Amino acid sequence: MINKVKTTFSIKDLENLSGVKAHTIRIWEKRYNVLEPLRTDTNIRIYDLKSLQKILNINFLQEYGYKISKIATYPDEEIPQMVKSILSDKNANNHAINFFKMAMMNFDQELFLKTFNWLIEEKTFRQIFLEVFIPFLEEIGGLWQSDTISPAHEHFVTHLIRQYLMSTIHEGISKERTKLDKVFVLSLPLNEIHDLGLLYLYYEIVYSGYKVIYLGESMPIENLKDLKSHFSDIIYLSYFTVQPENDEVERYVKEMADELLGETNEIWLLGRKVQSLEMNQLPKRILVFNSLIELIRKL
């Protein structure tokens, strides 16, 4: 079945996207007339993209101390301008997520680029990825699972984030390697396709001065073994997001250990699928990290 891109939303969708409770949205409609929903043939409220943007902006203004009773008196065209004036404050950078969210819903690449360019004036790429992109991607996961957004929305924004990652990685690759004692081999387990976390680690490791062999998604263990004839002191790094299946994780990691460790190699793992592993039962040269930050500190 083809997933259709949403142009209208239920009140539950608005709640999922904005964080404003459906009960509160109904009160705002009835008491302050801030939204004018359409109605289905069965009298169910539906909302358009303009309504979503207005709810996001109202929520933003409330966080800065504006009362809904006051906001409701402003003309619709004035509310986005008020948000923009507040966003000139450096402390408001974390609200970029709302702009990325609107860019996603409207498939608006220009808004996405403008928001990123605004952030990069004040933050490093690492700060943007860890403080903005990671929370944004986590929120996208929840929105997709609740059927608030379609796969098209997710693919649109992840592709844009991937473009920025690849651009910064290419800059790092052109720099001379300063650490020659190890080679990192980055790959995802079989049938795992969520590569943004691994790509970000590619960026961090390259800028730390190490050589990186990036093999990407769905890489069989037997193919990883081929690297042992080309390099010594390899760190095999993998990110388990949705694969392997829960009852296969332990077996999969054991197979990695048997095939890849040898005398000097290491295996570094992270992702929610490896958090259930018993650390004291793993071979010494297998390290499991709880977060990107923890791994970065190890470099």
Side-chain angles (χ1 to χ4, degrees):
M1 184 170 64
I2 296 174
N3 291 284
K4 293 183 178 180
V5 175
K6 287 189 177 183
T7 55
T8 58
F9 307 93
S10 68
I11 196 165
K12 188 63 177 178
D13 289 336
L14 284 196
E15 178 179 309
N16 290 336
L17 284 159
S18 68
V20 179
K21 296 293 185 184
H23 173 70
T24 302
I25 294 173
R26 291 190 186 97
I27 291 173
W28 288 356
E29 283 179 22
K30 185 175 181 180
R31 189 174 300 172
Y32 302 108
N33 198 33
V34 295
L35 296 178
E36 296 180 6
L38 304 172
R39 296 276 181 169
T40 66
D41 293 340
T42 54
N43 206 33
I44 296 173
R45 293 176 175 87
I46 56 174
Y47 302 83
D48 57 13
L49 282 166
K50 187 180 292 185
S51 296
L52 170 60
Q53 185 166 10
K54 188 170 184 180
I55 283 291
L56 288 169
N57 285 336
I58 289 173
N59 192 36
F60 176 88
L61 291 173
Q62 281 201 309
E63 290 182 12
Y64 275 79
Y66 288 81
K67 301 291 186 184
I68 183 62
S69 56
K70 185 67 174 177
I71 298 170
T73 65
Y74 299 129
D76 283 354
E77 62 274 12
E78 201 172 306
I79 293 174
Q81 298 304 317
M82 293 171 63
V83 171
K84 287 180 181 178
S85 67
I86 294 172
L87 285 170
S88 62
D89 184 345
K90 296 177 184 178
N91 294 328
N93 280 351
N94 60 319
H95 294 283
I97 290 176
N98 275 351
F99 283 90
F100 285 136
K101 202 180 294 181
M102 282 308 306
M104 174 182 70
M105 300 309 300
N106 288 296
F107 297 99
D108 188 341
Q109 182 170 329
E110 184 179 354
L111 176 58
F112 190 99
L113 298 179
K114 283 182 177 178
T115 304
F116 181 86
N117 290 337
W118 162 61
L119 284 171
I120 204 67
E121 291 179 0
E122 304 294 341
K123 294 179 177 285
T124 64
F125 184 79
R126 174 189 283 182
Q127 288 173 319
I128 293 173
F129 196 90
L130 296 178
E131 297 174 13
V132 180
F133 282 158
I134 290 292
F136 177 49
L137 290 168
E138 289 173 348
E139 194 166 337
I140 286 175
L143 294 172
W144 187 83
Q145 289 176 359
S146 65
D147 199 33
T148 304
I149 63 174
S150 74
H153 292 115
E154 181 184 15
H155 286 210
F156 172 74
V157 292
T158 54
H159 177 67
L160 289 173
I161 294 172
R162 186 177 289 105
Q163 284 182 315
Y164 281 116
L165 274 169
M166 293 308 301
S167 176
T168 55
I169 287 167
H170 287 154
E171 291 177 13
I173 291 173
S174 65
K175 299 180 184 297
E176 185 177 352
R177 303 279 71 81
T178 59
K179 298 177 181 177
L180 307 177
D181 58 319
K182 295 180 179 64
V183 172
F184 281 81
V185 174
L186 275 58
S187 67
L188 296 177
L190 206 58
N191 300 317
E192 176 67 79
I193 60 172
H194 295 78
D195 65 343
L196 283 183
L198 196 69
L199 275 173
Y200 179 73
L201 289 171
Y202 188 1
Y203 154 78
E204 287 284 357
I205 295 166
V206 163
Y207 276 88
S208 294
Y210 290 103
K211 180 179 181 65
V212 176
I213 309 297
Y214 188 85
L215 301 180
E217 60 193 54
S218 196
M219 182 58 55
I221 294 173
E222 58 264 28
N223 295 145
L224 295 175
K225 190 168 59 173
D226 296 341
L227 277 294
K228 293 170 70 175
S229 62
H230 293 272
F231 305 99
S232 58
D233 296 316
I234 299 172
I235 294 179
Y236 290 96
L237 174 56
S238 194
Y239 209 125
F240 293 15
T241 303
V242 298
Q243 291 292 335
E245 297 294 339
N246 291 337
D247 58 356
E248 284 291 307
V249 173
E250 188 174 339
R251 183 204 61 79
Y252 196 93
V253 172
K254 183 180 185 306
E255 184 180 349
M256 289 183 74
D258 292 343
E259 298 292 339
L260 305 177
L261 279 180
E263 295 182 2
T264 58
N265 298 337
E266 297 179 29
I267 295 172
W268 291 11
L269 302 171
L270 77 165
R272 62 173 176 261
K273 287 286 185 174
V274 297
Q275 299 308 309
S276 61
L277 290 172
E278 294 291 338
M279 306 303 165
N280 57 357
Q281 296 182 14
L282 295 175
K284 288 183 179 178
R285 293 196 304 280
I286 294 184
L287 300 181
V288 174
F289 298 89
N290 294 316
S291 67
L292 287 168
I293 290 293
E294 185 180 340
L295 191 148
I296 291 165
R297 289 171 180 159
K298 178 71 175 175
L299 293 173

